[in-house]
Amino acid sequence: MTDASRAALRRTELTTTGSLAAIFALRMFGLFMILPVFAVYGTGLEGATPLLIGTAIGAYGLMQAILQIPFGMLSDRFGRRPLLLAGLLLFVAGGAVAALSDTIYGVIMGRALQGAGAIASVIMALIGDVVSERHRTRAMALIGMSVGASFILALILGPVLAHWLGLSGLFWLTVVLGTLAMGVAFSVPSPQVRASEPLPARLRFRRVLGDRNLRRLDLGIMVLHLTMTASFVVLPQLLKHRLGLDLDQHSLLYLAVLVSSFLAMVPLIIAAERRGALPVKRAAVCLLIVAEVLLALAGQTLWHFVLALFVYFMAFNLLEALLPSLVGRAAPAGTRGTAMGVYSTSQFLGVFIGGQLGGALYQWVGAEAVFLGCAGLAVVWLLYLWGMGELPKLDNRVVHLGRQQDPTQAASRLRAIPGVLEAVVVAEQRLALLKVDNSELDEQALEALAGEVREPS
């Protein structure tokens, strides 16, 4: 490949990543900005109860959990862009349904319809299609940063926008944001999708679901988003009724704790890079437990809430940053896409369960029960996490076996090469899927054994 071709490819990768990050950000901002205000504004809807308010907040999560994998599979058959546009169209339609509804049931229907546009798996697959393995981690990090920025801005701006626009206006704003995202979607490439994955779907799911480390991480992201959703079923009402804070004052509170917690998180991220992610992750789960207990004990004192939210957001943002990279490390060879699909499904399932659990406990027991219940679930996660070892930083390789190679013997020969930690051979396609440690890999021995080595797409 010439230098000009490499530069053109890099420009395509950057443009595509930027466009997909913008789509993610526009869509997630529209979903997140309902979170800090709906517990207050939703009480004015006909038929509203704490349980149904929790259902409305979490309804999109249930549909996302159900449809993430089907959307990804359909995009394999019909192409990425058509499924991307279809998902955004459902998001826009759901926003309109919610905006026109005067009852809690109409809003639940609208939120569920918004969640039916489960495009996260399509976006991740498109990143895999267009961005080379060398730059894919950076692209995924940019996508993650766009989601994180959307979450922060939504918490800060949501109460202010709700004060100006009202609840119906917020949902109409999601329609506008979804329409803008559709415009951006027309600019992304629509590459020819590979007909099939090297490993059959049944084998990929069996390897992913059978991996204990991945189950720990899937449980973790589910608990993390469960606690976030359940807490926000209760928190806005407590700030309003216990502390007398108007919604625009909520924005100032969130701004202060989010910025300070982000700054406090940076040294922990550096520690995770230098000393390993697992000890930092365990510490973050402990902080999550402490934060939920502090929220349960906050009473009617402002600085108690400020301290609890500071600790909570430091733990939440730290775990949100660490977990996806750990999934990539833990995924068996040839299953990374499937592992991320199951991980995303677990995340959105946590959103739905959190809305239901938070609403039910708030309605039938009380606010403190919501926070203590979240703390209890985080304790279960911490105990399940305790036996997990540090995961090495590994790369994925796809090796094309030469005609002279016997596929039945290739796996053991590949595993004997220094630096090759896992090898799975797909005999029908004469491919070997590897997980390798680049710092120890004997490249010459690998090239001598294989006819061709290429990066996985």
Side-chain angles (χ1 to χ4, degrees):
M1 183 181 292
T2 65
D3 291 341
S5 298
R6 290 192 185 94
L9 177 61
R10 183 66 183 133
R11 284 195 297 272
T12 300
E13 290 179 348
L14 287 172
T15 302
T16 301
T17 302
S19 297
L20 294 176
I23 292 170
F24 237 129
L26 289 167
R27 180 175 174 277
M28 297 311 292
F29 180 76
L31 288 171
F32 285 144
M33 69 181 175
I34 305 297
L35 191 62
V37 303
F38 192 76
V40 174
Y41 277 86
T43 57
L45 294 168
E46 182 182 340
T49 65
L51 176 58
L52 291 177
I53 287 173
T55 301
I57 291 175
Y60 88 92
L62 176 63
M63 300 304 294
Q64 290 275 310
I66 294 172
L67 295 175
Q68 280 295 335
I69 294 174
F71 256 72
M73 294 175 69
L74 287 171
S75 75
D76 287 338
R77 181 173 181 181
F78 298 108
R80 311 299 187 206
R81 189 191 294 162
L83 268 295
L84 198 60
L85 292 170
L88 290 171
L89 186 60
L90 287 170
F91 178 77
V92 168
V97 169
L100 294 170
S101 299
D102 296 323
T103 70
I104 188 68
Y105 301 102
V107 172
I108 291 172
M109 184 182 300
R111 290 278 288 177
L113 191 56
Q114 284 187 313
I119 61 172
S121 57
V122 181
I123 288 177
M124 295 304 178
L126 186 51
I127 288 285
D129 294 335
V130 177
V131 180
S132 63
E133 176 71 18
R134 180 179 302 174
H135 301 121
R136 199 169 298 155
T137 300
R138 192 179 304 169
M140 293 296 187
L142 182 59
I143 295 290
M145 289 170 60
S146 72
V147 175
S150 299
F151 178 69
I152 292 171
L153 287 174
L155 287 185
I156 296 169
L157 297 180
V160 175
L161 292 171
H163 179 73
W164 291 342
L165 304 174
L167 184 60
S168 178
L170 280 187
F171 282 118
W172 282 122
L173 183 55
T174 68
V175 172
V176 174
L177 294 171
T179 303
L180 290 174
M182 290 180 69
V184 176
F186 280 105
S187 69
V188 301
S190 186
Q192 183 177 0
V193 181
R194 186 172 55 197
S196 62
E197 294 287 342
L199 288 180
R202 182 180 300 177
L203 179 58
R204 279 183 279 129
F205 277 108
R206 186 164 65 242
R207 287 168 62 80
V208 166
L209 296 176
D211 189 287
R212 191 171 184 181
N213 284 334
L214 285 176
R215 292 202 301 269
R216 289 182 172 117
L217 298 171
D218 293 336
L219 174 67
I221 194 63
M222 184 174 72
V223 170
L224 184 63
H225 281 260
L226 186 157
T227 63
M228 185 264 290
T229 309
S231 297
F232 274 93
V233 171
V234 180
L235 190 59
Q237 294 214 50
L238 297 186
L239 295 177
K240 180 176 176 63
H241 298 301
R242 286 191 184 179
L243 303 181
L245 297 179
D246 294 330
L247 280 176
D248 52 350
Q249 294 175 306
H250 292 196
S251 296
L252 296 175
L253 174 60
Y254 294 141
L255 176 61
V257 296
L258 283 165
V259 171
S260 58
S261 64
F262 179 81
L263 294 175
M265 180 191 74
V266 172
L268 294 175
I269 290 289
I270 296 173
E273 287 292 324
R274 292 179 177 176
R275 302 179 183 179
L278 195 59
V280 176
K281 181 186 171 186
R282 288 172 179 157
V285 178
C286 292
L287 287 175
L288 187 68
I289 297 167
V290 170
E292 293 291 352
V293 173
L294 288 174
L295 284 170
L297 300 175
Q300 298 181 344
T301 307
L302 176 60
W303 75 265
H304 286 178
F305 278 98
V306 172
L307 176 62
L309 288 172
F310 168 79
V311 175
Y312 179 82
F313 283 120
M314 184 167 62
F316 180 89
N317 290 326
L318 184 59
L319 289 165
E320 191 79 5
L322 290 177
L323 287 172
S325 64
L326 292 175
V327 172
R329 294 187 202 177
T335 67
R336 183 170 53 182
T338 303
M340 290 303 299
V342 174
Y343 173 83
S344 296
T345 299
S346 303
Q347 172 184 334
F348 290 115
L349 190 60
V351 171
F352 172 70
I353 296 173
Q356 294 296 105
L357 183 64
L361 288 175
Y362 189 31
Q363 180 172 328
W364 295 328
V365 185
E368 289 75 14
V370 177
F371 300 127
L372 292 176
C374 290
L377 289 171
V379 169
V380 172
W381 176 23
L382 182 64
L383 293 175
Y384 190 43
L385 179 67
W386 208 256
M388 185 176 180
E390 187 67 48
L391 298 173
K393 295 181 180 180
L394 304 177
D395 282 342
N396 294 281
R397 299 283 187 96
V398 177
V399 172
H400 179 76
L401 301 175
R403 294 292 179 185
Q404 73 279 10
Q405 296 292 335
D406 182 358
T408 60
Q409 301 178 1
S412 59
R413 296 180 64 188
L414 285 166
R415 281 192 288 267
I417 296 174
V420 176
L421 302 186
E422 186 176 353
V424 177
V425 171
V426 186
E428 297 83 0
Q429 301 182 39
R430 304 192 67 81
L431 294 176
L433 310 175
L434 311 180
K435 295 201 80 168
V436 302
D437 184 344
N438 282 329
S439 64
E440 300 180 4
L441 181 63
D442 188 337
E443 294 277 5
Q444 292 183 342
L446 183 60
E447 291 175 3
L449 180 61
E452 178 188 356
V453 181
R454 58 186 173 90
E455 296 173 336
S457 58

